[in-house]
């Protein structure tokens, strides 16, 4: 084990963990804002109770997103100082802008939203949660502008031994941003949709005193989940085609396609021999990969071996093949989870349109468990997109091994890796405990909690 | 003035904002387990900073982001060099942030007591470490010709830097006690005042000791001369005045004074650094400066335009929050945290 491997593990653990909380923040902020807006427009108190109930869960989740986000902002400099030096002229800008434009907005206005229920007019109060929603999603946009530079570097020149920005607007116009951001945005919508759907399903099953509120929530969740899953898949398809052009190696790894094919077959199931770069066992559908790549029956899709040869010519000798098994399986798990979510969401919407929310308990239990699906897809999606870019940290420009901090010793990284992992593990337990407690308690639970815990006790 | 200097000033402004704002909410967090014993008064204390702490913390994130964008070598050298210190600070900030949100979401007294101590630790550690970090920036740390820090963790814990840490710790506690005095009523208001008076005298000793130690430990005064200009004088005078205002029961003014002390101490350190951002104790030529550590003029220009538009907007709406929640937190207030 050297410091590089440890630093990579730390980045992977802290980032995947951070992104456990972010998508729900992105999607649920908008949904809570919609609920409160409906309340302000109609005066229907039920929507206020919905906003408070889902808002409570939102806040618990939001806190975790914020505190794990601080680590993200700092660890480029801490563990990846040479990366920071090399790309700081470009990469630092979107990060600083994210803090200045987005973090301030969401944090400040969330404080007002939490404490402002009685102090602001109804309209103004509803406006503050909209600002939070805009701030959160703006922050996603800016961090993805930064990440897109790592996937597809644009608007720069190599000078003085580093990458220097030549065109700020090229960073914003980077084609990768505009496939990645919608993908993440709708992943957030999907996550919130399934979160609301699953918890509402629990209450439909228990038939407690908040039944009506959770029927309403279920309807909103179903619509939201369908919008999210359909869009995330459409965008994802476009994104994969885009990736075929800018990082063909990533897609070849995703498909475990060793050799170039035309028409290219798609693997349904492959057990591969990564070392010798060949299939041990594979079920493949002819031409399907060409169809996915180009929307037609033919078309050459480059394989790993040919790409390796190409990269050797442009970048010199070296191993340019990412870990194929991880890429292949994370991609499949992500897409698979997406397909299952699409089916569940469509079925839920069908029942909503039929106005029949009398489900069999088994179905409702299934929906509760389906809350895990977006989380699986979110995590595997990021693991895929980052792992399958290796050995590059900035594609075609800088290798991960050259990015690590030389000033940080292996003992120091061990310490931080263990400390972060233990603390994050403990906090995950606490967060799930609290989310479950408030989710099960329902809207009336939250209202009771606010009355007993929020009011003055001394008289 | 060139853009490098502008960004040096902007980062100083961000740190002033951070120390001024998060200074009092660190202080409140540190005082929490001592100044408030029963649950209701602890909640009162926490709720005085409830609507603000998260927005305040963003000043730090923005300062970090601005260092990355404007002076990537400063960001890289300092953050990788001060690695363990930053890990400790991050761990503290993590438990602190969730403590606000989680503390009152369960009734169990042990749960609440545990999160109160998390709030304490989470406020104590960064309040101390930022003083240590600032003192080391000005004192100088071993940096080689490739801008790499060679010192390790314990190198940071020299007496001068520790004195700096104690100075920020006590100053933030004082700032926080005065803030509490301003934002509470009755018994808590009085208690906060008496805490502020006690902490104030310790703070005065520590801050002045830190300044005097600076004559020996840094090159600041040889660079700036015996008369180092107006800013340390304002910082020192404001600190003394804050005690005077406290005795006169004019807490609003006392708070302004500790605020001025924080702002002008920060300014003094940045003036002492200029045009360096990190002093190398090995060789003057290896120090990081606003020129050899900076981004390109193009990036600085882009970032200047954005910062000059958005920093005032942020100030406006953050100011508005303080206006919305200007009322004191009393026994009758509706609590959230």
């Amino acid at each position: 084990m050297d410091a590089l491997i440890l630093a990579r593990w730390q980045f992977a653990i802290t980032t995947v963990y951070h992104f456990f909380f972010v998508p729900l923040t992105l999607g649920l902020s908008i949904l809570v804002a919609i609920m409160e807006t409906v309340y302000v427009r109609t005066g229907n108190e039920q929507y206020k109770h919905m906003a408070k109930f889902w808002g409570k869960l939102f806040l618990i989740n939001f806190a975790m997103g914020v505190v794990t986000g601080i680590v993200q902002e700092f660890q480029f400099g801490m563990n990846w100082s040479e990366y920071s030096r090399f790309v700081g002229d470009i990469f630092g800008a979107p990060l600083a802008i994210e803090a200045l434009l987005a973090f301030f907005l969401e944090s400040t206005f969330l404080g007002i939203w939490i404490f402002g229920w009685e102090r602001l007019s109804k309209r103004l109060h509803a406006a503050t949660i909209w600002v939070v929603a805009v701030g959160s999603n703006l922050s996603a946009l800016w961090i993805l502008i930064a990440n897109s530079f790592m996937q597809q570097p644009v608007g720069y020149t190599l000078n003085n031994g580093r990458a220097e920005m030549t065109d700020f607007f090229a960073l914003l116009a980077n084609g990768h941003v505009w496939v990645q951001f919608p993908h993440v945005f709708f992943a957030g919508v999907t996550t919130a949709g399934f979160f609301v759907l699953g918890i509402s399903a629990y209450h439909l099953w228990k038939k407690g005193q908040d039944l009506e509120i959770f029927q309403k929530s279920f309807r909103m969740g179903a619509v939201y989940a369908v919008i999210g899953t359909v869009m995330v898949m459409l965008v994802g398809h476009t994104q994969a085609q885009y990736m075929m052009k800018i990082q063909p190696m990533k897609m070849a790894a995703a498909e475990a396609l060793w050799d170039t094919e035309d028409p290219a077959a798609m693997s349904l199931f492959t057990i591969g021999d990564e070392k010798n770069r060949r299939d041990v066992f594979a079920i493949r559908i002819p031409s399907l990969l060409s169809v996915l790549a180009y929307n037609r029956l033919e078309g050459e899709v480059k394989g790993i071996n040919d790409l390796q040869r190409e990269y050797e010519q442009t970048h010199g000798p070296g191993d340019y093949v990412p870990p194929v098994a991880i890429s292949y399986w994370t991609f499949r798990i992500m897409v698979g989870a997406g397909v299952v979510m699409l089916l569940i969401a469509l079925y839920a919407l069908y029942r909503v349109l039929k106005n029949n929310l009398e489900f069999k308990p088994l179905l409702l239990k299934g929906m509760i468990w389906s809350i895990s699906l977006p989380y699986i897809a979110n995590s595997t999606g990021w693991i895929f997109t980052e792992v399958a870019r290796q050995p590059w940290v900035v594609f075609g420009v800088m290798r991960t091994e050259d990015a690590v901090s030389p000033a940080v010793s292996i003992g120091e990284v061990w310490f931080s890796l263990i400390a972060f992992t233990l603390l994050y593990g403990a906090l995950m337990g606490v967060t799930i405990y609290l989310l479950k407690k408030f989710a099960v308690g329902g809207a009336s639970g939250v209202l009771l909690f606010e009355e007993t815990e929020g009011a003055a006790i001394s008289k | 003035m060139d853009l490098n200097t502008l960004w040096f000033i902007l980062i100083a402004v961000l740190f002033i904002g951070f120390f001024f704002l998060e200074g009092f909410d660190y202080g409140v967090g540190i005082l929490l387990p001592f100044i408030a014993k029963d649950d209701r008064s602890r909640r009162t204390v926490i709720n005085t900073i409830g609507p603000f702490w998260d927005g305040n913390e963003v000043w730090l994130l923005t300062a970090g982001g601005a260092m990355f964008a404007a002076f990537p070598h400063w960001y890289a050298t300092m953050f990788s060099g001060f690695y363990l210190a930053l890990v400790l600070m991050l761990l503290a900030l993590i438990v602190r942030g969730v403590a606000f949100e989680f503390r009152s979401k369960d009734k169990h007294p042990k749960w609440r007591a545990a999160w109160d101590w998390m709030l304490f630790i989470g406020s104590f550690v960064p309040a101390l470490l930022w003083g240590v970090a600032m003192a080391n920036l000005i004192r100088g740390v071993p940096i080689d010709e490739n801008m790499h820090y060679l010192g390790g963790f314990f190198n940071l814990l020299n007496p001068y830097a520790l004195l700096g840490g104690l100075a920020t710790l006590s100053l933030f506690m004082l700032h926080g006690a005065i803030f509490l005095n301003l934002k509470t009523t009755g018994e808590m208001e009085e208690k906060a005042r008496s805490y502020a008076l006690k902490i104030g005298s310790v703070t005065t000793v520590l801050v002045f000791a830190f300044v005097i130690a600076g004559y020996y430990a840094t090159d600041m005064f040889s660079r700036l001369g015996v008369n180092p200009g107006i800013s340390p004088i304002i910082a020192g005078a404001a600190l003394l005045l804050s005690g005077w205002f406290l005795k006169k029961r004019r807490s609003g003014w006392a708070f302004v004074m500790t605020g001025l002390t924080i702002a002008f101490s920060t300014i003094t350190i940045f003036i002492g650094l200029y045009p360096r951002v990190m002093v190398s104790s090995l060789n003057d030529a290896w120090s990081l400066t606003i020129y050899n550590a900076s981004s390109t003029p193009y990036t600085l220009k882009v970032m200047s335009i954005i910062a000059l538009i958005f920093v005032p907007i942020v100030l406006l709406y953050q100011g508005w929050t303080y206006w919305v929640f200007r009322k004191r937190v009393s026994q009758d207030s509706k609590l959230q945290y």
Side-chain angles (χ1 to χ4, degrees):
Chain A
M1 282 274 193
D2 56 6
L4 172 67
I5 296 286
L6 294 178
R8 289 180 64 180
W9 269 108
Q10 181 171 309
F11 199 89
I13 289 170
T14 52
T15 308
V16 168
Y17 191 85
H18 175 60
F19 203 70
F20 232 80
F21 303 98
V22 171
L24 186 63
T25 297
L26 300 182
L28 196 56
S29 57
I30 298 174
L31 203 51
V32 171
I34 292 173
M35 288 167 181
E36 196 179 339
T37 307
V38 174
Y39 159 65
V40 173
R41 284 281 172 89
T42 65
N44 184 342
E45 289 278 324
Q46 276 185 336
Y47 284 97
K48 182 183 181 183
H49 298 165
M50 279 162 73
K52 287 223 171 184
F53 171 75
W54 296 108
K56 197 62 107 193
L57 302 179
F58 171 77
L59 289 176
I60 295 167
N61 176 76
F62 185 89
M64 289 297 290
V66 167
V67 296
T68 54
I70 315 173
V71 179
Q72 298 304 103
E73 175 102 6
F74 282 27
Q75 68 177 339
F76 294 108
M78 290 166 68
N79 293 90
W80 306 97
S81 65
E82 300 320 282
Y83 170 80
S84 305
R85 291 179 206 282
F86 188 76
V87 299
D89 194 54
I90 298 152
F91 193 85
L95 247 65
I97 296 172
E98 181 190 17
L100 188 59
L101 262 67
F103 290 165
F104 268 126
L105 218 52
E106 55 174 345
S107 302
T108 309
F109 282 87
L110 190 67
I112 306 174
W113 187 74
I114 299 172
F115 284 82
W117 281 98
E118 270 84 30
R119 239 163 282 195
L120 299 178
S121 73
K122 278 190 203 168
R123 279 165 174 274
L124 195 53
H125 189 263
T128 59
I129 189 72
W130 277 111
V131 177
V132 173
V134 169
S136 301
N137 284 286
L138 259 184
S139 122
L141 174 63
W142 283 102
I143 196 64
L144 293 176
I145 287 171
N147 180 263
S148 288
F149 180 80
M150 302 165 79
Q151 309 289 352
Q152 185 188 9
V154 292
Y156 75 103
T157 176
L158 290 179
N159 195 18
N160 301 320
R162 65 176 179 176
E164 296 187 342
M165 197 199 293
T166 53
D167 184 359
F168 177 69
F169 295 98
L171 292 181
L172 312 189
N174 187 346
H176 192 271
V177 173
W178 301 105
V179 287
Q180 193 183 29
F181 175 66
H183 195 67
V184 168
F185 174 80
F186 286 110
V189 171
T190 306
T191 308
F194 273 83
F195 188 79
V196 171
L197 208 57
I199 291 170
S200 302
Y202 171 81
H203 289 279
L204 295 185
W205 176 35
K206 291 289 170 188
K207 290 197 172 57
Q209 51 175 320
D210 303 320
L211 190 58
E212 228 178 294
I213 281 181
F214 285 106
Q215 285 169 341
K216 282 195 166 67
S217 299
F218 188 92
R219 291 194 187 102
M220 287 179 106
V223 174
Y224 214 56
V226 168
I227 295 173
T229 40
V230 168
M231 290 305 292
V232 93
M233 289 185 123
L234 288 177
V235 175
H237 177 62
T238 314
Q239 191 177 9
Q241 293 189 334
Y242 189 82
M243 201 54 74
M244 236 19 141
K245 281 183 241 154
I246 61 155
Q247 284 185 42
M249 184 63 101
K250 185 182 271 183
M251 296 318 288
E255 298 299 336
L257 183 71
W258 309 109
D259 297 302
T260 305
E261 290 182 12
D262 183 8
M266 199 198 78
S267 151
L268 262 192
F269 181 87
T270 297
I271 295 176
D273 175 358
E274 207 169 326
K275 213 164 141 201
N276 298 311
R277 294 190 192 140
R278 59 182 184 84
D279 287 349
V280 175
F281 171 79
I283 306 170
R284 312 177 79 222
I285 305 173
S287 292
L288 187 58
L289 190 55
S290 293
V291 174
L292 288 173
Y294 309 109
N295 301 334
R296 54 188 160 83
L297 279 169
E298 277 143 34
E300 182 190 76
V301 179
K302 283 198 175 139
I304 291 168
N305 292 323
D306 296 295
L307 289 166
Q308 165 71 21
R309 275 192 289 278
E310 266 181 37
Y311 289 172
E312 274 175 23
Q313 277 172 5
T314 36
H315 301 292
D319 185 0
Y320 298 96
V321 183
V324 179
I326 298 177
S327 311
Y328 177 86
W329 286 110
T330 49
F331 188 69
R332 261 151 196 70
I333 294 168
M334 175 187 74
V335 174
V339 172
V340 178
M341 281 190 276
L342 181 67
L343 296 175
I344 295 173
L346 285 174
Y347 179 70
L349 183 67
Y350 165 75
R351 295 292 293 265
V352 166
L353 293 176
K354 281 262 182 182
N355 207 5
N356 175 5
L357 296 185
E358 289 292 325
F359 293 95
K360 292 200 179 80
L362 192 67
L363 269 176
L364 291 172
K365 277 186 214 168
M367 285 186 197
I368 299 169
W369 279 103
S370 74
I371 297 176
S372 61
L373 291 171
Y375 290 90
I376 293 169
N378 293 337
S379 306
T380 48
W382 268 111
I383 294 170
F384 164 69
T385 205
E386 294 295 298
V387 168
R389 190 192 58 231
Q390 302 301 323
W392 302 106
V393 64
V394 179
F395 185 77
V397 181
M398 186 188 212
R399 279 165 233 248
T400 308
E401 62 189 25
D402 301 324
V404 75
S405 299
V408 180
S409 73
I410 190 164
E412 288 176 319
V413 195
W414 264 122
F415 173 80
S416 57
L417 175 61
I418 293 170
F420 283 129
T421 308
L422 289 180
L423 180 61
Y424 278 11
L427 287 180
M428 183 62 94
V430 176
T431 310
I432 290 175
Y433 162 74
L434 278 180
L435 284 175
K436 200 177 158 194
K437 180 182 143 175
F438 281 95
V440 167
S444 50
V446 166
L447 291 182
L448 182 71
F449 174 84
E450 290 217 335
E451 266 167 36
T452 53
E453 290 299 307
I457 46 167
S458 74
K459 280 280 145 43
Chain B
M1 183 174 58
D2 57 13
L3 288 175
N4 301 57
T5 305
L6 174 72
W7 270 92
F8 183 78
I9 294 170
L10 268 173
I11 287 171
V13 167
L14 291 169
F15 270 104
I16 292 169
F18 167 56
F19 290 142
F20 181 96
L21 295 168
E22 191 109 298
F24 68 74
D25 70 44
Y26 284 155
V28 170
I30 296 166
L31 294 172
L32 172 72
F34 309 104
I35 203 165
K37 292 298 179 190
D38 63 283
D39 189 57
R40 174 68 201 190
S41 43
R42 285 208 173 165
R43 292 192 67 187
T44 304
V45 168
I46 295 169
N47 278 266
T48 59
I49 51 173
F52 313 122
W53 74 270
D54 196 6
N56 292 349
E57 195 167 87
V58 180
W59 285 88
L60 170 63
L61 294 178
T62 308
M67 283 166 74
F68 197 175
F71 305 109
H73 291 294
W74 184 13
Y75 172 79
T77 303
M78 180 168 158
F79 282 40
S80 65
F82 295 3
Y83 187 81
L84 278 187
L86 280 167
V87 171
L88 293 176
M89 194 195 70
L90 288 174
L91 294 170
L93 292 181
I94 291 169
V95 295
R96 180 175 195 268
V98 289
F100 281 105
E101 192 57 48
F102 291 176
R103 183 215 180 263
S104 294
K105 293 222 161 28
D106 197 296
K107 280 198 171 103
H108 203 287
K110 276 190 182 157
W111 165 281
R112 292 192 169 181
W115 287 115
D116 287 343
W117 282 106
M118 295 290 173
L119 252 173
F120 166 77
I121 296 169
S123 307
F124 180 91
V125 171
L128 181 80
L129 286 180
W130 274 111
V132 172
M134 284 289 152
N136 275 311
L137 283 188
I138 187 92
R139 173 182 178 266
V141 288
I143 294 171
D144 70 9
E145 69 268 39
N146 299 316
M147 298 186 173
H148 288 138
Y149 173 81
L150 304 173
F153 177 57
F154 291 100
N155 208 330
L156 299 176
L157 303 181
N158 53 78
Y160 174 69
L162 287 173
L163 187 58
L166 291 176
T168 51
L169 178 69
S170 61
L171 187 54
F172 290 165
M173 283 170 71
L174 174 65
H175 198 43
I178 300 174
F179 180 80
L180 263 185
N181 177 241
L182 276 174
K183 296 294 284 185
T184 54
T185 58
E187 203 184 326
M188 183 58 74
E189 187 186 353
E190 273 312 301
K191 221 169 167 182
R193 183 170 168 272
S194 74
Y195 266 73
L197 283 168
K198 276 181 225 149
I199 299 165
S201 41
V202 180
T203 306
T204 312
V205 172
L206 285 169
V207 169
F208 281 92
F210 180 61
V211 174
I212 293 163
Y215 273 94
Y216 300 97
T218 73
D219 64 358
M220 214 165 144
F221 297 96
S222 62
R223 279 161 46 91
L224 300 177
V226 185
N227 174 5
I230 192 81
S231 63
I233 295 169
I234 296 179
L239 185 57
L240 296 174
L241 276 174
S242 79
W244 187 77
F245 279 121
L246 261 179
K247 288 203 184 81
K248 295 273 171 200
R249 294 187 173 272
R250 302 187 64 173
S251 320
W253 279 106
F255 186 71
V256 170
M257 289 303 139
T258 47
L260 285 177
T261 306
I262 291 172
F264 280 91
S265 306
T266 315
I267 291 171
T268 309
I269 288 179
F270 273 81
I271 290 176
L273 279 172
Y274 184 84
R276 305 164 300 179
V277 289
M278 272 186 107
V279 178
S280 169
S281 59
L282 303 178
N283 186 333
D284 268 346
W286 298 344
S287 292
L288 276 68
T289 70
I290 59 171
Y291 299 105
N292 68 14
S294 84
S295 285
T296 54
Y298 176 74
T299 297
L300 291 179
K301 195 175 113 195
V302 170
M303 292 307 296
S304 301
I305 294 168
I306 292 167
L308 294 177
I309 295 172
F310 284 97
V311 171
I313 295 177
V314 168
L315 285 172
L316 273 181
Y317 65 67
Q318 280 212 334
W320 180 63
T321 352
Y322 284 89
W323 172 253
V324 170
F325 301 108
R326 65 193 176 279
K327 269 173 74 176
R328 291 173 188 261
V329 181
S330 71
Q331 290 287 323
D332 308 318
S333 302
K334 197 149 163 49
L335 301 179
Q336 294 295 338
Y337 284 144

